Amino acid sequence: MIRLDNISKQNGTRLVFIEASAALQKGEKVGLVGPNGAGKTTLFRMITGQEEPDEGQILADRGITIGFFSQDVGEMAGRSAVAEVMDGAGPVSEVGGELAQLEAAMADPDQADNMDAIIERFGEVQARFEELDGYALDGRAREVLDGLGFSQEMMDADVGKLSGGWKMRVALGRILLMRPDVMLLDEPSNHLDLESLIWLESFLANYDGALLMTSHDRAFMNRIINKVIEIDGGNLTSFTGDYEFYEVQRALNEKHQQAQFERQQAMLAKEINFIERFKARASHAAQVQSRVKKLDKIERVEPPKRRTSVAFEFRTAPRSGDDVAKLSAVHKRYGNKVIYQGLDLLVRRKERCCVLGVNGAGKSTLLKLVTGSTAPDAGTVNLGGSVKMGYFAQHAMDLLDGERTVFETLEHNFPRDGQAPLRALAGAFGFSGDEVDKRCRVLSGGEKARLVMAMMLFDPPNFLVLDEPTNHLDIATKEMLISSLSTFEGTMLFVSHDRHFLGALSNRVLELTPEGIHQYDGGYTEYVARTGQEAPGLHA
């Protein structure tokens, strides 16, 4: 359906693609993978015609429809979320808009003199709306928005009043309702909670068009895709299979290439040694010349490209008391909405509690109560003896000084530590080379999250409270974080929508329900096995 034929692309002085080729066939669900900055978004922009390749061509089958979801959703205001989603469905949305205007006109006393013409036009437009299956479209739009976590009230409210994350869900809903022949999704799993993520996973698994997507959520991608296209060093390489197969195959390919490289290097060393040894002897002149010519003709095997991921070594955190956090008879409400009524909870040393619950159940509120960011209306929240807390929340990224560079930020927070350990810390969290000189105001969401996380973990607390710590983090950084946290000796209380992160790190589950907290010993994987559901209210 779409073919990339020997494309080359340069951004400034950086070569993004060098004579790269790949194809997206009908029915394929493809995961586009590669390190940050490899060119994934550039590739999407070239397919949609927003950018042109410098060389080569991008060919698409005639007449196909393409839907593109990106993180840049633009301004939305003045219409309901339902209307905004339906707007992506083409002509039927225009007809629906006129129908709504005519309905308003029929109810307007000032239009009484024009009522016959309005009613006649209403009949014509209504017939066209029915012909385009417009009434079913409203239901389908609401079904999509419901799956993405919207309440009925939010669906009918002005989309301009929604936060950026919810606007992204609206933009994603437009593409899903459109059901184009080809769907291009750039990080659709960002800003979704676990329930919405699982719904989207099911939707895309049953979608019969072609799909090309990026995602930093390996579990999400693994359950949907049947092919991987990897961007690496300007090349596009295709692997048939899911993400796990790709990882195994890539490792095998690298091992095979390394073995070939080492064999060739040994052979070259032997030949060069012979040439150096006998080049001055007339009796060996013919053999030397023969071997020089042979070396010139040999196609060199390149060593495999190494994916550098630096492990982060925790300093040892001080030991806390056995009771880390205790909530007793806690009441909390926002306006008329009761979040907690008589909540009792004890978090013990070395527990890694993941918090699950539907939207609005109070997951972030629980973390805010424990950290003292918000006060209970009644009841008590107490931390145990010798508890040193580290709290990661999305708002922490807004507190960075925009004028300081990454390295200046680290130096400011750790003035007694030398350059070497701070540069090692920056490198472990993905800031290498010139990236440490970036000013915080130009950092992406993922880069800010990495910097805040680095500062929190450099001088480690013994009680980590983490609210969606993996938002914006790429797969490699998540793996590094999981590896680091798996050796953490302290206590954790966290909310995450990343199932790989949940399964790897939790040893206790707190499920927030209208009846109170259901507690499960054992981690997220045991919770899924015991309940038969991956998230509250959803069945596996």
Side-chain angles (χ1 to χ4, degrees):
M1 300 182 84
I2 294 175
R3 198 166 84 246
L4 291 79
D5 195 5
N6 284 317
I7 60 166
S8 295
K9 180 71 176 175
Q10 188 167 337
N11 283 343
T13 57
R14 192 169 66 89
L15 285 168
V16 185
F17 295 104
I18 309 162
E19 295 183 354
S21 297
L24 177 63
Q25 308 290 356
K26 188 173 183 178
E28 283 186 333
K29 294 188 170 73
V30 180
L32 185 63
V33 305
N36 275 350
K40 298 188 287 290
T41 300
T42 300
L43 189 66
F44 280 135
R45 291 176 65 83
M46 287 195 294
I47 292 173
T48 56
Q50 293 170 273
E51 291 186 30
E52 294 288 333
D54 298 332
E55 294 176 19
Q57 53 187 341
I58 295 175
L59 305 168
D61 289 353
R62 183 170 296 177
I64 64 167
T65 53
I66 297 176
F68 176 40
F69 168 77
S70 75
Q71 298 295 301
D72 183 15
V73 299
E75 282 302 311
M76 294 182 186
R79 289 195 290 191
S80 69
V82 169
E84 195 69 47
V85 167
M86 287 173 64
D87 188 52
V92 67
S93 64
E94 296 170 21
V95 177
E98 187 180 355
L99 195 65
Q101 289 174 354
L102 290 165
E103 284 174 342
M106 286 193 298
D108 184 355
D110 293 340
Q111 296 280 0
D113 294 344
N114 304 320
M115 198 54 68
D116 289 344
I118 292 170
I119 291 171
E120 184 181 349
R121 180 59 185 160
F122 180 82
E124 294 168 359
V125 174
Q126 188 179 44
R128 177 64 177 148
F129 193 62
E130 287 175 352
E131 185 184 314
L132 292 169
D133 207 16
Y135 289 109
L137 187 72
D138 180 87
R140 294 211 319 270
R142 290 178 185 277
E143 191 179 320
V144 166
L145 286 170
D146 180 65
L148 293 174
F150 283 77
S151 65
Q152 291 296 324
E153 186 181 1
M154 288 171 72
M155 291 180 201
D156 293 313
D158 184 349
V159 73
K161 294 177 181 174
L162 298 176
S163 68
W166 285 100
K167 283 180 181 175
M168 283 196 182
R169 295 191 194 203
V170 172
L172 178 59
R174 282 174 65 120
I175 306 298
L176 301 182
L177 185 67
M178 179 184 173
R179 294 190 87 98
D181 300 316
V182 178
M183 217 182 269
L184 309 176
L185 303 179
D186 192 5
E187 294 296 344
S189 51
N190 274 2
H191 301 285
L192 296 184
D193 54 38
L194 188 54
E195 294 75 31
S196 302
L197 198 61
I198 293 165
W199 176 86
L200 178 59
E201 191 175 273
S202 173
F203 184 99
L204 293 176
N206 293 314
Y207 165 63
D208 55 9
L211 172 67
L212 180 66
M213 74 170 185
T214 63
S215 176
H216 291 158
D217 188 321
R218 58 183 293 163
F220 173 74
M221 188 156 31
N222 204 47
R223 297 183 186 200
I224 296 167
I225 64 172
N226 51 31
K227 179 178 172 181
V228 169
I229 294 178
E230 178 191 57
I231 307 178
D232 195 8
N235 297 314
L236 294 171
T237 309
S238 297
F239 299 78
T240 301
D242 59 16
Y243 186 82
E244 279 185 11
F245 173 82
Y246 152 74
E247 279 201 315
V248 171
Q249 192 61 46
R250 190 192 68 196
L252 285 173
N253 289 354
E254 286 183 357
K255 189 177 178 183
H256 177 65
Q257 190 174 345
Q258 182 67 29
Q260 277 188 311
F261 173 73
E262 288 172 1
R263 280 197 300 272
Q264 190 181 69
Q265 289 298 303
M267 181 273 290
L268 291 173
K270 189 176 176 182
E271 292 295 316
I272 290 167
N273 185 48
F274 179 91
I275 292 166
E276 289 297 319
R277 189 175 168 193
F278 295 108
K279 66 182 178 182
R281 297 189 190 180
S283 58
H284 287 75
Q287 286 175 282
V288 168
Q289 283 303 312
S290 171
R291 294 197 181 199
V292 168
K293 286 178 184 176
K294 178 183 167 185
L295 286 186
D296 287 342
K297 290 177 183 175
I298 289 175
E299 189 175 333
R300 299 295 198 266
V301 174
E302 294 292 326
K305 296 182 181 74
R306 296 294 177 197
R307 288 157 206 282
T308 54
S309 58
V310 187
F312 177 73
E313 294 288 331
F314 271 106
R315 294 175 180 175
T316 304
R319 190 187 189 282
S320 71
D322 288 337
D323 290 354
V324 174
K326 186 175 184 181
L327 286 74
S328 302
V330 165
H331 292 257
K332 186 66 184 177
R333 68 163 63 210
Y334 294 113
N336 295 324
K337 185 173 174 60
V338 175
I339 308 295
Y340 293 116
Q341 197 159 13
L343 170 66
D344 295 313
L345 177 67
L346 176 64
V347 178
R348 296 179 294 270
R349 189 172 75 87
K350 286 202 169 186
E351 285 185 332
R352 298 163 175 225
C353 306
C354 70
V355 183
L356 303 180
V358 298
N359 248 343
K363 299 187 290 291
S364 291
T365 300
L366 177 61
L367 270 53
K368 288 175 182 175
L369 287 164
V370 169
T371 58
S373 303
T374 192
D377 299 331
T380 58
V381 179
N382 294 305
L383 296 181
S386 303
V387 169
K388 178 186 175 187
M389 187 194 305
Y391 178 34
F392 178 88
Q394 299 304 307
H395 69 77
M397 296 185 281
D398 300 330
L399 303 178
L400 294 169
D401 184 335
E403 291 308 309
R404 285 198 184 112
T405 66
V406 169
F407 194 72
E408 286 168 352
T409 302
L410 295 177
E411 280 190 314
H412 176 76
N413 282 273
F414 308 108
R416 295 184 180 180
D417 291 276
Q419 284 220 358
L422 293 183
R423 286 193 181 276
L425 173 68
F429 282 83
F431 298 103
S432 56
D434 294 342
E435 290 183 327
V436 295
D437 297 322
K438 278 185 176 179
R439 296 202 184 278
C440 289
R441 60 180 157 75
V442 303
L443 297 180
S444 67
E447 288 170 325
K448 286 179 180 176
R450 296 203 310 263
L451 180 56
V452 170
M453 190 76 68
M455 290 189 291
M456 187 176 70
L457 298 182
F458 187 61
D459 182 21
N462 52 30
F463 182 31
L464 283 175
V465 182
L466 310 174
D467 194 357
E468 295 288 4
T470 58
N471 265 6
H472 306 292
L473 297 186
D474 61 26
I475 290 174
T477 308
K478 281 184 193 177
E479 291 298 335
M480 184 278 293
L481 190 59
I482 289 170
S483 173
S484 298
L485 291 176
S486 63
T487 62
F488 176 61
E489 289 290 315
T491 307
M492 289 172 61
L493 177 68
F494 63 97
V495 173
S496 175
H497 64 242
D498 189 294
R499 284 159 290 176
H500 182 55
F501 190 86
L502 289 168
L505 293 175
S506 59
N507 61 20
R508 186 181 177 204
V509 174
L510 307 177
E511 182 186 1
L512 307 184
T513 74
E515 297 78 44
I517 291 188
H518 293 171
Q519 304 185 37
Y520 299 84
D521 290 326
Y524 175 75
T525 306
E526 289 84 356
Y527 165 83
V528 173
R530 196 176 304 175
T531 63
Q533 61 188 23
E534 293 190 284
L538 292 177
H539 291 277

